[in-house]
Amino acid sequence: MADHQAVPGIPLTSTITPHTTYVNIVTILVAGMGSFLFGYANNSIAGTLAQTSFIEKFLTGSNATSIIDGILGGFQGGGLIGAILQAPISQRFGRRAATGTAAALVTFSAALQAGSVNIAMFLAARVICGIGAGIVITNCPVYMSEIAPPHIRGMLVGNHAISIVYAYIFSSVVALGFYFIDAPYAWRLQYVMLAFFGLMLGVSLFFLPESPRWLCEKERHDEAWIVLRRLHQSKQDPDAQLARAEMAQMKAQIESERSLPTGYIHIFRTPHLRHRAFCCILVWVMGQSTGILVIANLTPVLFGQLGFGPVLQLGLSIVWVTVALIGCFINAALMDRFGRVKLLVTGGFLCSSTLIVEAILQKYYLGSTDKTGINAAVAMYFLWILFYGSTVDCAAYVYISEIWPTHLRSNGTTIGLVSFFACSIAYTSPASEGFATIGWKYYWVMICVCLVSATAIFFVLPETAKLTLEEIGERFGDAVVVHFGEQFESKTNDETPAGNGTEKSGPELNETVA
């Protein structure tokens, strides 16, 4: 008998081999449409800033750098608002409702951006777009973590970051294609595409189930059981034993937490929850201090500063985000094997080291005719994004979404993404002006913070790989009501249903695990 507590009422007679079903994988992939929408909404501006038609309309004045900083900062500021709004929407109306709200906001804002007649209208639309994007980037990893099996949760939830990078690639390719359209409306087409993807996300919600943990929290146990059985039942597990075990643990844990206080004040007053909050904040202080959004939003501009023309700026940006995608696949593959914390720490130091070299190269070669030095600076950008993608990108989203108990998961993920957007505002809002005034020295602001926060992560963050969402709580000092591992036993023979074991329905299961 395994040393885990037996789960009563679950007819298990042999070892359950952890498995991942086709339905589970497809559900995660479809949910990634929300992540894709965030990536496209965020990165659409990178190509726009290199479009001649956009520059001629909005960036011909002496205040061009201030306008660029306002555009970047407005989106990130909206994202911060969206991250905060996500929690009450998600908790009250469900994960699908939060994603639907985001889809509506982004679609509406895309129409405004495409039809902008002046820079004020465009700026306002970018803020609204940021609100929708902030909701969806906060909600998607929560949803994915709640439907992914523990043995491969890192890889599956890593689809969130991978889908974002897919959007970056597509947005960059589209921007290059639109550059060759010789018309004053060329830059607007990027936002027509954004509206299309917003509508597509809304349609995808008709095919996605609600999070079983949210359903269970709302005492909709029948619906939760149907979702779990559909996600986990397979030829290897025809009796849906894995789903029964997860239902038992999930229901018992949620029931034990039902009387607990909620809200941000409770989180910061309670030591084990405050520890989680600090972990979330630290993850994205380090993540944003690598320089990811500064460089991602300004890649064409930065390549332009190194002496490349518009076509090469946009072309190199496509290659750059493709390297990012390769890194994300590596990250997703490594997370469950090596753990989240080791990857985050390694990524912080590798990205900082690469930025140090980049800063030195730009000090001596930026604005020069030395092709070797310029090419080396370009190479550092590519090496940097490979390091970031392989270590930080997926792991950060996975970690902040999986360390929270169900009743606080939306609040907790919000804390992490507020840190994401707050640091992004701090770094991206003055970025264009910063590079224009102090140049390569601007990198050192991020490098110093990144090195300190990466060191802190090594000492502060507990590892979470291969644990169920409920068992992760033990790493923070929580009491886990029911454990389950790879082996289970039924408590008594009379609890085993006749036939193939699937006759016991959701309500009957609920009575036995109560």
Side-chain angles (χ1 to χ4, degrees), residues 290 346-356 384 387-388 391-392 450:
T290 62
T346 301
F349 282 100
L350 286 176
C351 289
S352 295
S353 300
T354 313
L355 275 189
I356 289 171
W384 174 88
F387 286 155
Y388 178 84
T391 56
V392 178
C450 188

Side-chain angles (χ1 to χ4, degrees), residues 54 180 203 208 222-223 226 243 262 294 319 325-326 366 374 378 384 393 411 434 499:
F54 184 83
F180 293 101
V203 171
L208 288 175
D222 292 353
E223 296 171 67
I226 290 170
T262 59
V294 170
V319 180
L325 179 64
I326 295 170
L366 188 64
I374 294 296
V378 171
W384 174 88
D393 206 3
N411 292 105

Side-chain angles (χ1 to χ4, degrees), residues 41-42 44-45 71 74-75 113 122-130 191:
N42 180 61
S44 57
I45 195 62
I71 291 171
F75 180 87
Q113 289 171 87
F122 187 80
L123 284 168
R126 285 300 288 174
V127 173
I128 297 171
C129 188
Y191 302 100

Side-chain angles (χ1 to χ4, degrees), residues 140-341:
C140 274
V142 170
Y143 177 82
M144 291 179 181
S145 69
E146 291 184 339
I147 65 172
H151 69 284
I152 198 174
R153 187 173 59 247
M155 180 177 289
L156 291 184
V157 182
N159 180 59
H160 174 63
I162 290 171
S163 296
I164 291 174
V165 179
Y166 272 135
Y168 278 19
I169 294 174
F170 191 85
S171 175
S172 299
V173 171
V174 166
L176 179 59
F178 290 158
Y179 178 80
F180 293 101
I181 297 177
D182 186 14
Y185 60 79
W187 68 270
R188 300 180 188 274
L189 299 177
Q190 186 81 282
Y191 302 100
V192 174
M193 292 295 297
L194 178 59
F196 170 76
F197 289 124
L199 291 173
M200 287 292 292
L201 177 60
V203 171
S204 74
L205 294 176
F206 290 99
F207 303 95
L208 288 175
E210 184 54 84
S211 161
R213 283 175 169 79
W214 181 82
L215 290 169
C216 207
E217 186 181 19
K218 297 301 180 182
E219 299 185 330
R220 293 160 62 176
H221 300 118
D222 292 353
E223 296 171 67
W225 168 242
I226 290 170
V227 172
L228 277 177
R229 184 168 57 185
R230 184 184 176 203
L231 289 174
H232 296 320
Q233 193 169 21
S234 66
K235 291 181 180 179
Q236 302 101 305
D237 183 18
D239 299 336
Q241 296 183 60
L242 185 62
R244 291 170 184 271
E246 186 170 355
M247 183 71 187
Q249 184 185 46
M250 183 173 65
K251 183 176 183 295
Q253 192 70 30
I254 290 173
E255 287 301 322
S256 74
E257 295 168 354
R258 191 172 298 282
S259 61
L260 297 177
T262 59
Y264 297 108
I265 294 176
H266 171 63
I267 287 173
F268 285 100
R269 282 179 174 175
T270 309
H272 65 97
L273 297 176
R274 187 166 59 243
H275 182 192
R276 285 177 167 98
F278 184 62
C279 289
C280 287
I281 293 169
L282 194 55
V283 163
W284 276 119
V285 167
M286 189 279 290
Q288 289 290 7
S289 297
T290 62
I292 178 58
L293 282 188
V294 170
I295 297 175
N297 286 329
L298 293 174
T299 42
V301 175
L302 295 175
F303 286 135
Q305 290 178 355
L306 291 171
F308 297 95
V311 175
L312 268 178
Q313 291 173 33
L314 293 168
L316 286 171
S317 296
I318 294 172
V319 180
W320 188 83
V321 291
T322 302
V323 173
L325 179 64
I326 295 170
C328 281
F329 280 119
I330 295 172
N331 196 340
L334 293 178
M335 259 192 296
D336 293 310
R337 177 173 296 184
F338 295 103
R340 288 59 153 148
V341 177

